[in-house]
Amino acid sequence: MRQLVNAYMRMGLVPLILIALVLGVLIGGVSNNIGMSLGVLGDVFVGALKAVAPILVFALVLSAVAGFKSSSDAKVRPVMLLYVVGTFSAALTAVLASFAFPIELVGLTDIQAVEQSAPQSLRDVLKNLLMNLVANPITALSNANYLGILTWSVLIGLGLRYATETTKTVVHDISNAVSAVVKWIVAIAPFGILGLVSKTVAETGLDGLASYAKLLMILVGAMLFIALVVNPIIVFIKTRKNPYPLVIACLRESGVTAFFTRSSAANIPVNMNLAKKLGLNEDTYSLTIPLGATINMAGAAITINILTLAAVHTLGVEVSFFQALLLAIVGAVSACGASGVAGGSLLLIPLACGLFNISNDIAMQVVAIGFIIGVVQDSAETALNSSTDVLFTAACDPKYAHKS
């Protein structure tokens, strides 16, 4: 058994998901009964995600806030500002793209039980938001109230900043343990995707997968727009130089590697070498690049917002401009808490869905769809996130700015 597990892990997640996609299409197309029966694998996978996601968000945010150490190096602050501007720009771009190209997801179940309209007045929106923020922390965890989870994890984390280093280490270790559980669940994603795809094809034919392809096109298109249009504009405003040589260099030497590793953390050494090659200040990039791997998440902001609004369009929820703007803000903030594991940003979608009264059951089905398209989506997301770390660090570095 151990040899089988080791062989399974050696194959890698991406090839296994591709195999699961092909098998799911074939099985669902050949036999409706078998396809529907295999749907239980998808149900188990989604159930596991539903169970661990609230704990993951709580542990990650708690650990990050408790262990945060502010830097006195003023050179880091401009880079942090660009990280914030870039991530919010990505979130806003995702919202606009979703309204310009609305998508309805195929295969969501129990949508009739969902409240089909968001709160209509600004007062209702703010009241619901505030009540969710101050919900009982135990109730928030059990009911997957992500706004409440976020509130209490930040507050408790702030309190723990005055705790001993031993206590902070324990909190960090617990966060790592929960992240490890998420990695184990993600490792069985091919089986879950096999069940989800075979069930979708058995129920809807290939039309369901066509809607997923359109969703993927919107996601990748928004990420390319940020990488090739918005980020160059930000860099030009900062440096007053032609940004594209730097943009292309970062995409070529950092983005391509990140696309295949699908991990911003794993790409840190690549980014360090690129920063050294560009002649940047080591005291600056030794801080900004590791921080960027954690909080500079433009690609994650796009994923969270587009998938959330796809669920909104599917359920027929009417969204005002204020709610769309609020989603962009929440999406940008949520992206900064994205887990370091592959597909980590998907687990924060329920937090954004909570703004529109979308139940956790529906939100986690959207997360499962995200895993189906994640072979490309997560790779493109990581490439954007990681390459931008070096891009913004270079844009704020005086050594680069003074080069001809």
Side-chain angles (χ1 to χ4, degrees), residues 139-261:
T139 304
L141 279 169
S142 62
N143 294 338
N145 171 9
Y146 287 87
L147 292 176
I149 292 169
L150 199 62
T151 299
W152 292 110
S153 60
V154 169
L155 292 176
I156 297 173
L158 289 173
L160 286 173
R161 291 188 66 180
Y162 301 98
T164 63
E165 289 301 320
T166 301
T167 301
K168 293 179 182 179
T169 300
V170 171
V171 171
H172 181 69
D173 289 344
I174 292 173
S175 175
N176 287 340
V178 177
S179 296
V181 173
V182 174
K183 290 180 181 179
W184 299 338
I185 294 174
V186 171
I188 66 169
F191 295 100
I193 289 171
L194 172 64
L196 291 167
V197 172
S198 60
K199 182 180 178 181
T200 298
V201 174
E203 288 180 337
T204 67
L206 295 178
D207 291 341
L209 295 183
S211 71
Y212 299 162
K214 183 179 178 182
L215 175 63
L216 182 60
M217 290 175 61
I218 302 289
L219 282 165
V220 175
M223 292 177 192
L224 287 174
F225 181 78
I226 292 296
L228 300 177
V229 178
V230 175
N231 282 350
I233 291 174
I234 294 174
V235 173
F236 174 76
I237 292 173
K238 182 65 179 178
T239 65
R240 300 297 176 181
K241 295 170 59 177
N242 177 8
Y244 282 99
L246 178 61
V247 169
I248 298 303
C250 290
L251 288 174
R252 182 182 65 246
E253 300 195 31
S254 173
V256 171
T257 305
F259 183 90
F260 290 102
T261 62

